[in-house]
Amino acid sequence: QVQPVESGGGSVQAGGSLRLSCAASGYTYSSYCMGWFRQAPGKEREGVATVSSGGVIVYADSVKGRFTISRDNPKNTVYLQMNSLKPEDTAMYYCAAAPLCISGRFLRPDYFAYWGQGTQVTVSS
């Protein structure tokens, strides 16, 4: 069973940094499209960053230049390094997997079939 598991959330002041990790189990992780998504209270889930099996990366405009997604295939893990955090980055962050990245769908939550439980990120001003 495909099951991403997130870790690394927490509370930080504006301008600080956090690194989220997503460990993979139950599937051939290296061949999957892996994405990070977030959902703030009262808002829809939105795409943050996605990396394909071939290393193609797409970021949401709101995080470009501040967040970095990476994957470590031998460790079956994908990371989201978040720098210069802002209060508006506060949300539950989810890791998700799809068998294949398709152009135009990198940041679409409805395209990803497998989801972790989420990890909370809170940024205070």
Side-chain angles (χ1 to χ4, degrees):
Q1 181 176 354
V2 179
Q3 182 61 63
V5 179
E6 307 93 338
S7 61
S11 297
V12 65
Q13 290 190 330
S17 298
L18 285 173
R19 189 176 79 157
L20 306 183
S21 299
C22 175
S25 65
Y27 58 106
T28 307
Y29 159 82
S30 60
S31 68
Y32 272 66
C33 179
M34 300 298 299
W36 285 99
F37 296 80
R38 66 186 181 186
Q39 188 167 17
K43 295 188 176 181
E44 293 187 353
R45 191 168 297 188
E46 63 176 1
V48 175
T50 296
V51 56
S52 74
S53 60
V56 176
I57 292 174
V58 174
Y59 293 103
D61 288 343
S62 59
V63 306
K64 283 181 181 176
R66 300 188 298 121
F67 291 11
T68 302
I69 189 172
S70 61
R71 62 192 303 163
D72 186 335
N73 288 339
K75 293 184 178 180
N76 281 358
T77 302
V78 63
Y79 302 99
L80 185 68
Q81 177 67 43
M82 305 185 295
N83 299 328
S84 301
L85 282 160
K86 304 175 181 180
E88 50 264 44
D89 294 317
T90 295
M92 186 71 78
Y93 282 71
Y94 297 90
C95 179
L100 183 69
C101 277
I102 295 179
S103 179
R105 301 184 184 181
F106 273 63
L107 296 179
R108 285 181 50 177
D110 60 338
Y111 176 67
F112 287 75
Y114 307 104
W115 291 84
Q117 294 299 308
T119 185
Q120 179 67 37
V121 171
T122 302
V123 184
S124 58
S125 58

